[in-house]
PDB file of all heavy atoms in Angstrom:
ATOM      1  N   GLN A 147      -9.077  22.315  47.037  1.00  0.00           N
ATOM      2  CA  GLN A 147      -8.010  23.302  46.903  1.00  0.00           C
ATOM      3  C   GLN A 147      -7.704  23.496  45.423  1.00  0.00           C
ATOM      4  O   GLN A 147      -7.678  22.539  44.647  1.00  0.00           O
ATOM      5  CB  GLN A 147      -6.762  22.861  47.666  1.00  0.00           C
ATOM      6  CG  GLN A 147      -6.978  22.786  49.161  1.00  0.00           C
ATOM      7  CD  GLN A 147      -7.360  24.136  49.741  1.00  0.00           C
ATOM      8  OE1 GLN A 147      -6.620  25.110  49.639  1.00  0.00           O
ATOM      9  NE2 GLN A 147      -8.547  24.208  50.339  1.00  0.00           N
ATOM     10  N   ASP A 185       0.197  11.947  55.833  1.00  0.00           N
ATOM     11  CA  ASP A 185       0.104  10.595  56.391  1.00  0.00           C
ATOM     12  C   ASP A 185      -1.276  10.328  56.983  1.00  0.00           C
ATOM     13  O   ASP A 185      -1.675   9.178  57.139  1.00  0.00           O
ATOM     14  CB  ASP A 185       1.161  10.370  57.470  1.00  0.00           C
ATOM     15  CG  ASP A 185       2.557  10.237  56.882  1.00  0.00           C
ATOM     16  OD1 ASP A 185       2.676   9.870  55.689  1.00  0.00           O
ATOM     17  OD2 ASP A 185       3.526  10.499  57.616  1.00  0.00           O
ATOM     18  N   SER A 198      -6.139  13.659  30.229  1.00  0.00           N
ATOM     19  CA  SER A 198      -4.848  13.287  29.627  1.00  0.00           C
ATOM     20  C   SER A 198      -3.668  13.801  30.459  1.00  0.00           C
ATOM     21  O   SER A 198      -2.534  13.417  30.211  1.00  0.00           O
ATOM     22  CB  SER A 198      -4.747  13.819  28.191  1.00  0.00           C
ATOM     23  OG  SER A 198      -4.570  15.217  28.187  1.00  0.00           O
TER      24      SER A 198
END
Side-chain angles (χ1 to χ4, degrees):
Q147 295 299 300
D185 288 336
S198 72

